[in-house]
Amino acid sequence: MPSAAGTTTDDPARPADAPARVWPRTAALVLLGWLLLAWDVFAAGINTAPFFGDIPSRDRYAESGAVLLTAMVPVLLLGAIGLLSRCRFGLLFLAVPAAVVGALGADMAGSPGDPADPDPRRPFAVADLVADLTRPNWVVAAVILLALTAVVARRVRQSGSRPDPQAGQGRDVG
C-alpha cells in the first residue's frame, strides 16, 4: 500500500511511481541464453570429438555447425524479449558469447571431414539446419517466440490503456 510520502511499504527507499527493476529480468535472460549456448556447444563438441583417433565425417561437422548456427535463433529471440523489457547493456553478456558460438558454428559447417569418407567436401545444405541435433533449438525458439508474443501483447495492452499525459492539461501539442 502506498503511504502518504508516495513510497511503498515493500521498499521504503523506492518511490511508488519508480520503474520496476530491470536487472533480474536481464540476469534471467542471460542465464537462459548461456544455458542454451552451453548445451549446444556440448552437443557439437561431443558430435565431432575424435574418439580413439577417429576423424569426424563431413556429415558430423555439418550437423555440429548447424547446431551452433541454429542456436542463434533462440538467442536472438531472447535478445528481442530483453530489449522489449528495457534490458540494455546486460544483454552484451549474452551477445558476445553468442557471436563466438556463431563464428564457431560457421567454421564447423565449413570444415572438411575425414578424407576417407565417400564425400568429404559435400556442401552445407539446408537439410543440415533441421537435423536431429537441431530440433531442441527449434523447439526452444518456438517457446521463446510464444513468450515474445506475450510480451508484445502485454505492451500493446498497456500502451492502449494508459491515458494521454498531454490530454486535458491545456497545452497546445501541434
Side-chain angles (χ1 to χ4, degrees):
M1 258 189 109
S3 65
T7 59
T8 62
T9 57
D10 296 338
D11 188 3
R14 226 173 98 205
D17 58 347
R21 291 186 182 134
V22 179
W23 73 264
R25 281 178 268 169
T26 305
L29 289 173
V30 168
L31 180 64
L32 184 63
W34 282 353
L35 289 173
L36 176 71
L37 291 174
W39 171 255
D40 286 328
V41 167
F42 177 74
I46 290 295
N47 197 33
T48 57
F51 292 116
F52 307 111
D54 184 28
I55 299 173
S57 67
R58 171 67 184 136
D59 288 334
R60 288 197 179 260
Y61 275 123
E63 187 177 31
S64 296
V67 166
L68 297 178
L69 290 174
T70 58
M72 298 300 103
V73 175
V75 169
L76 288 174
L77 291 172
L78 283 173
I81 288 175
L83 289 175
L84 288 174
S85 299
R86 296 188 323 262
C87 304
R88 299 288 185 251
F89 296 112
L91 291 177
L92 289 175
F93 287 109
L94 182 59
V96 172
V100 170
V101 168
L104 181 63
D107 181 55
M108 282 183 138
S111 294
D114 185 2
D117 283 340
D119 194 8
R121 291 260 182 216
R122 79 162 179 88
F124 187 76
V126 176
D128 293 325
L129 295 173
V130 291
D132 290 338
L133 279 179
T134 62
R135 287 187 188 138
N137 287 338
W138 295 117
V139 170
V140 169
V143 169
I144 294 173
L145 187 61
L146 288 173
L148 179 63
T149 304
V151 168
V152 168
R154 186 177 132 241
R155 284 184 63 113
V156 167
R157 243 189 347 260
Q158 284 180 348
S159 68
S161 65
R162 291 185 182 163
D164 186 14
Q166 305 254 337
Q169 294 181 0
R171 295 182 185 166
D172 187 19
V173 179

